[in-house]
C-alpha cells in the first residue's frame, strides 16, 4: 500500500485532499475500487470515474476532483508523463538477489562486477565482463569478450554475441539476439541482384549459381539507456560494428541489419526492418512495419509513418508516409487525387461519348 502523500513525493505530482489515504494499485477509472488509484488522465475518463467506487485518482490539470466524488487527487499536467511516474511507483516485479546461480555456467576468466545477479542456465563465455548491479535472468547467453555495462537488465533467453559492447542501464527483453552474423553473401560471378540494379532487369549473367558467405567481424556497440524489445535482432557489422545510439528504444520483432548506424533517442516500433548499412540520425521515429532499403540515410528528427517503405535518402526533419514513402503533403495530395479519379474517369467517358470516340 502507498499513501497519496508518499506517491506525490516520489512522482512530483501535486496532491489535493486527504493525502493520508493509502492505495494498493493503479487501475482503470471504470473498474477502480476504494483501495485503487484510478488513472483518469484526461476528461475523456471523467464519466467512467463517476460510476466507480474510487476514492483517489490521478487527474488532468484543472479537473474538479470534488465534483467527481473523490476524496483525494493527484494532478498530471502531462498525462502520459504522469502515467510513467505512477507505473514506476507500482512496478513491484521481483528482483533477483545478487549472486550466481549454481546452475549457471560462468567462465573462470569472466569479470563479474559487484552486486551482479546471474540466473540459472545462463552461460557467460570467456573474457566477458558484466558491470556492477546488472541482472541477467535465466537461460541467457553472453558471448566471449562481450561487455555489459552497470545496472543492465537482461531478460530470459537473450543471446549476446561475441565482442558485443552494451552500455549502462540497458534493458533487453526476452529472446532478443544481439550480434548474430549479418545476412551478407556474394556470388563468384555477377549475380541477379547486381544485374537487376545495373539494368533494371535480370539481364545476361544474372544467375545465383553459388552464394559465398561474408563473415561478420565487427560485432555490435550499444550506448547507455537503450531498451531492446522481445525477439528483436541486431546483426553484427561486417568490419566495423553496427551501432545503436544512447537512449534509443527498439520495439519487439525489429530487424536491424549489419553495419547500420542508429542515432540517439530514436524510437523504432514493432516489425520495422532495416536492411544493411543504413544511417539513422538522432531522434528519428520509425512507425510499425516501416521498411528501409539498404545503404540509405534518414536525417535527424524525422518521423516515418507506420507501414511506409523507404527507398531513397530522407532529409532531416521530414515527415514521410506511404509506399514508396514520400513527404506528407505530397502524399496527402496524391490520396486526394486518387479519391477524385472515379469521377474524373466518368466525366472523361461522357466526353468521349459526345465526341464519338
Amino acid at each position: 500500500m502507498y499513501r497519496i502523500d508518499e506517491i506525490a513525493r516520489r512522482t512530483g505530482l501535486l496532491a489535493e485532499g486527504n493525502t493520508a489515504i493509502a492505495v494498493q494499485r493503479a487501475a482503470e477509472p471504470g473498474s477502480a475500487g476504494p483501495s485503487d488509484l484510478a488513472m483518469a488522465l484526461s476528461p475523456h475518463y471523467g464519466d467512467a470515474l463517476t460510476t466507480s467506487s474510487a476514492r483517489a485518482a490521478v487527474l488532468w490539470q484543472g479537473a474538479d476532483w470534488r465534483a467527481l466524488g473523490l476524496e483525494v487527487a493527484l494532478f498530471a499536467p502531462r498525462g502520459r508523463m504522469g502515467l510513467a511516474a505512477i507505473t514506476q511507483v507500482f512496478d513491484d516485479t521481483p528482483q533477483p538477489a545478487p549472486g550466481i546461480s549454481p546452475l549457471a555456467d560462468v567462465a573462470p576468466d569472466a569479470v563479474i562486477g559487484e552486486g551482479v545477479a546471474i540466473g540459472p542456465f545462463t552461460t557467460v563465455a570467456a573474457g566477458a565482463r558484466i558491470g556492477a548491479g546488472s541482472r541477467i535472468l535465466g537461460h541467457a547467453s553472453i558471448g566471449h569478450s562481450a561487455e555489459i555495462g552497470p545496472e543492465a537488465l537482461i531478460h530470459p533467453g537473450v543471446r549476446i554475441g561475441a565482442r558485443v559492447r552494451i552500455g549502462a542501464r540497458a534493458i533487453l527483453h526476452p529472446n532478443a539476439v544481439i550480434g548474430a552474423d549479418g545476412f551478407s553473401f556474394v556470388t563468384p560471378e555477377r549475380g541477379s541482384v547486381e544485374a537487376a540494379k545495373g539494368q533494371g532487369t535480370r539481364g545476361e549473367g544474372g544467375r545465383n549459381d553459388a552464394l559465398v558467405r561474408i563473415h561478420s567481424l565487427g560485432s555490435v556497440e550499444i550506448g547507455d539507456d537503450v531498451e531492446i524489445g522481445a525477439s528483436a535482432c541486431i546483426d553484427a557489422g561486417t568490419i566495423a560494428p553496427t551501432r545503436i545510439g544512447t537512449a534509443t528504444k527498439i520495439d519487439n520483432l525489429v530487424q536491424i541489419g549489419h553495419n547500420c548506424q542508429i542515432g540517439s533517442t530514436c524510437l523504432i516500433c514493432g516489425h520495422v526492418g532495416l536492411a544493411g548499412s543504413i544511417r539513422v540520425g538522432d531522434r528519428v521515429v520509425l512507425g510499425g512495419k516501416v521498411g528501409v532499403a539498404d545503404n540509405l540515410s534518414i536525417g535527424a528528427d524525422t518521423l516515418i509513418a507506420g507501414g511506409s517503405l523507404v527507398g531513397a535518402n530522407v532529409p532531416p526533419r521530414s515527415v514521410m508516409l506511404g509506399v514508396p514513402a514520400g513527404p506528407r503533403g505530397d502524399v496527402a495530395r496524391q490520396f486526394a487525387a486518387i479519391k477524385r479519379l472515379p469521377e474524373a474517369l466518368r466525366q472523361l467517358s461522357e466526353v468521349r461519348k459526345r465526341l464519338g470516340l
Side-chain angles (χ1 to χ4, degrees):
M1 300 285 282
Y2 297 93
R3 284 171 49 120
I4 297 298
D5 51 8
E6 179 187 0
I7 295 173
R9 177 180 57 79
R10 293 178 59 176
T11 62
L13 299 179
L14 174 66
E16 292 184 10
N18 182 6
T19 59
I21 288 177
V23 290
Q24 187 171 10
R25 66 186 185 105
E28 295 182 348
S31 60
S35 61
D36 295 333
L37 180 63
M39 301 299 295
L41 300 173
S42 76
H44 173 76
Y45 298 105
D47 290 343
L49 189 59
T50 59
T51 62
S52 76
S53 56
R55 304 163 63 200
V58 181
L59 301 177
W60 62 97
Q61 194 72 23
D64 186 344
W65 57 275
R66 294 181 181 88
L68 292 169
L70 300 170
E71 297 180 36
V72 65
L74 294 157
F75 292 94
R78 181 164 162 77
R80 288 182 62 80
M81 284 298 293
L83 179 63
I86 293 295
T87 55
Q88 185 173 355
V89 170
F90 284 95
D91 186 357
D92 58 356
T93 303
Q95 302 299 329
I100 300 174
S101 167
L103 298 177
D105 180 11
V106 178
D109 65 345
V111 178
I112 309 300
E114 183 178 356
V116 168
I118 299 179
F121 305 107
T122 288
T123 300
V124 181
R129 303 176 69 91
I130 312 298
S134 289
R135 294 156 289 159
I136 303 175
L137 307 184
H139 295 270
S141 63
I142 314 299
H144 74 80
S145 301
E147 293 186 11
I148 299 173
E151 303 297 331
L153 174 58
I154 311 299
H155 282 276
V158 169
R159 305 290 179 238
I160 297 173
R163 304 179 308 281
V164 168
R165 304 286 185 267
I166 298 176
R169 298 172 298 280
I171 300 175
L172 274 60
H173 289 278
N175 299 320
V177 179
I178 314 299
D181 271 8
F183 190 71
S184 191
F185 299 87
V186 64
T187 54
E189 304 296 333
R190 188 166 181 262
S192 61
V193 174
E194 293 170 276
K197 285 184 175 180
Q199 303 176 12
T201 64
R202 287 183 65 122
E204 294 294 329
R207 292 170 57 91
N208 291 341
D209 290 326
L211 295 170
V212 180
R213 188 169 186 271
I214 299 174
H215 291 252
S216 297
L217 308 180
S219 201
V220 178
E221 293 182 357
I222 295 175
D224 295 340
D225 299 301
V226 170
E227 186 160 347
I228 298 173
S231 297
C233 297
I234 302 175
D235 290 346
T238 305
I239 303 298
T242 301
R243 291 188 173 92
I244 310 296
T246 296
T248 283
K249 313 300 181 185
I250 298 172
D251 198 2
N252 302 338
L253 298 169
V254 167
Q255 162 65 27
I256 296 179
H258 61 279
N259 301 336
C260 285
Q261 308 290 304
I262 311 298
S264 64
T265 327
C266 294
L267 280 173
I268 302 179
C269 301
H271 286 206
V272 164
L274 301 184
S277 301
I278 293 168
R279 303 185 72 87
V280 177
D282 297 338
R283 300 173 300 279
V284 167
V285 177
L286 303 180
K289 293 186 180 296
V290 164
V292 184
D294 61 294
N295 291 286
L296 298 180
S297 64
I298 298 175
D301 300 297
T302 286
L303 188 153
I304 299 180
S308 301
L309 297 181
V310 179
N313 292 331
V314 178
R317 297 176 297 281
S318 298
V319 179
M320 309 284 285
L321 69 154
V323 180
R328 176 173 55 184
D330 293 350
V331 174
R333 285 188 289 273
Q334 292 168 10
F335 286 165
I338 290 171
K339 290 179 67 175
R340 294 193 298 269
L341 187 59
E343 177 61 19
L345 291 174
R346 185 191 65 79
Q347 294 174 0
L348 177 61
S349 178
E350 290 180 356
V351 170
R352 289 173 60 88
K353 288 177 181 179
R354 287 198 297 269
L355 296 176
L357 298 176

